[in-house]
Amino acid sequence: MIGNKLMKVEKKTTNKPSPKHGLSLTLYIEQDEYIPLLAQSAGIRLSVHPPRIMPFPEDTGSTISPGSQVDVGVRKFEIVRQPLPYDGSDCFDSLRLSDEELWEINSFSQAFNMSYDVKGCQKTCYQKLVVEMCQCGDAEYPFNNLAAFQYRNYTVCQPDNKVQAKCVEHAMKKFTSNSKTSCYCPQSCRDVQYLTSSTSSMWPADSYKPQLLKSLFNRDSSLGEKIRSLHNAQTEGPELIRKNMVKVNVYFQELNYERITEVPAYEVGFTCTDFLSVPCPFKIVLCFTVM
């Protein structure tokens, strides 16, 4: 049970594929603390991602409304790509770079000890453009004392500063347009994704609300007391819980996974072997003779 705060949890494992053996979260979203000018909707954003890949729920997450229980089934999907020259485009292998070189193109690797991914590289590229154009950084992404920004310290771009706000808006438009931003973010040579499917139902049931309040009070007395006092004070009464609570169950649909691997059709040194049935030294000569 968590409210509007960060929470560090211990590592969980499972060896059975079903909602009963997954991760179950009961969330209290605290609508009474929402800022009217910023919060246009209520709920949560859920993103399922590999452990060392930086999540960006604003781009890849899904929205879950309060007053609902959502079961999210997860399937692992892996793509293994070949580097140049096999498919005409290069892929990124972090083992080919030093830490400093990796940090230059993905600031999240240095700031949060994350692995390389395309989104992290693109966000770093965008932040570089903001810093270059506005001499301040977008508060959503790291920028201070990092290799990608020459280890310099910048102030945060203030939304109430009209000049800085306009500059950040212009930087975003420039980055998302077709204009050149000198941003090179190739696909990873090994890319792991989690494909999700979900079902939802109304939650909690009216008959379950008293038991839920009791359970919340036993787990966190301060939060339980807050919910109980709000529940008694509000004219909505029972609807208060439904407007502020979400239950999410995340589980593996199956414990096997799908992998797509790129394999070279022809090795560079043996191209002629597949066409000419003669000893290798003569194959290269014959190939050039035909050409």
Side-chain angles (χ1 to χ4, degrees):
M1 175 69 195
I2 62 176
N4 187 19
K5 60 183 178 181
L6 295 175
M7 183 177 182
K8 188 175 181 179
V9 296
E10 60 181 285
K11 183 178 179 181
K12 306 289 184 180
T13 59
T14 183
N15 57 6
K16 295 182 180 179
S18 74
K20 293 182 179 180
H21 299 93
L23 177 66
S24 182
L25 300 172
T26 302
L27 308 174
Y28 181 67
I29 65 173
E30 297 182 299
Q31 280 206 57
D32 59 301
E33 295 189 5
Y34 278 29
I35 301 174
L37 295 178
L38 299 179
Q40 299 181 8
S41 60
I44 66 169
R45 292 283 290 181
L46 176 69
S47 178
V48 181
H49 58 92
R52 292 196 60 201
I53 295 298
M54 189 69 189
F56 298 101
E58 68 275 19
D59 295 334
T60 59
S62 55
T63 301
I64 300 177
S65 301
S68 62
Q69 173 179 307
V70 178
D71 296 330
V72 181
V74 177
R75 291 185 297 114
K76 185 178 178 181
F77 180 72
E78 183 177 347
I79 301 176
V80 180
R81 301 179 179 89
Q82 290 289 334
L84 284 173
Y86 294 107
D87 64 350
S89 61
D90 200 7
C91 65
F92 183 87
D93 184 359
S94 59
L95 297 179
R96 294 185 292 179
L97 299 180
S98 65
D99 287 345
E100 195 76 15
E101 291 173 319
L102 174 61
W103 297 344
E104 281 282 346
I105 60 175
N106 189 3
S107 60
F108 302 93
S109 297
Q110 183 180 9
F112 305 110
N113 194 28
M114 294 290 175
S115 300
Y116 171 87
D117 73 305
V118 175
K119 280 288 183 185
C121 175
Q122 291 174 342
K123 300 293 186 183
T124 301
C125 190
Y126 159 72
Q127 186 73 290
K128 283 182 178 180
L129 187 62
V130 173
V131 169
E132 178 185 342
M133 293 178 58
C134 311
Q135 295 301 305
C136 59
D138 190 325
E140 292 190 19
Y141 311 115
F143 57 88
N144 269 337
N145 198 30
L146 297 174
F149 308 97
Q150 291 77 48
Y151 292 100
R152 297 177 182 175
N153 290 322
Y154 296 90
T155 58
V156 175
C157 297
Q158 300 297 326
D160 57 350
N161 184 315
K162 293 183 178 180
V163 175
Q164 291 182 345
K166 193 70 175 178
C167 181
V168 172
E169 182 182 352
H170 182 61
M172 173 60 77
K173 288 181 179 179
K174 183 177 180 180
F175 181 77
T176 55
S177 68
N178 293 326
S179 59
K180 294 182 180 179
T181 56
S182 64
C183 186
Y184 177 62
C185 296
Q187 297 286 337
S188 299
C189 291
R190 180 179 178 271
D191 192 12
V192 177
Q193 304 173 11
Y194 289 100
L195 309 180
T196 62
S197 59
S198 61
T199 58
S200 63
S201 60
M202 184 178 291
W203 182 90
D206 291 339
S207 59
Y208 178 63
K209 287 180 183 178
Q211 180 62 35
L212 176 62
L213 280 173
K214 181 179 179 181
S215 174
L216 294 178
F217 191 81
N218 291 335
R219 288 191 178 188
D220 189 332
S221 59
S222 60
L223 181 58
E225 190 59 45
K226 177 181 178 180
I227 296 175
R228 183 177 296 175
S229 61
L230 286 173
H231 180 275
N232 294 332
Q234 295 291 330
T235 56
E236 295 106 335
E239 287 301 311
L240 177 69
I241 295 178
R242 190 164 286 157
K243 288 181 178 181
N244 285 277
M245 301 198 70
V246 181
K247 185 167 185 178
V248 182
N249 300 316
V250 183
Y251 64 96
F252 282 107
Q253 290 181 318
E254 48 193 38
L255 293 183
N256 56 356
Y257 67 95
E258 182 179 356
R259 171 187 285 178
I260 297 178
T261 304
E262 289 184 350
V263 179
Y266 300 106
E267 296 288 347
V268 175
F270 298 92
T271 304
C272 298
T273 305
D274 295 328
F275 297 99
L276 302 171
S277 56
V278 292
C280 189
F282 296 98
K283 295 173 189 176
I284 299 177
V285 175
L286 288 175
C287 279
F288 282 102
T289 303
V290 173
M291 293 173 65

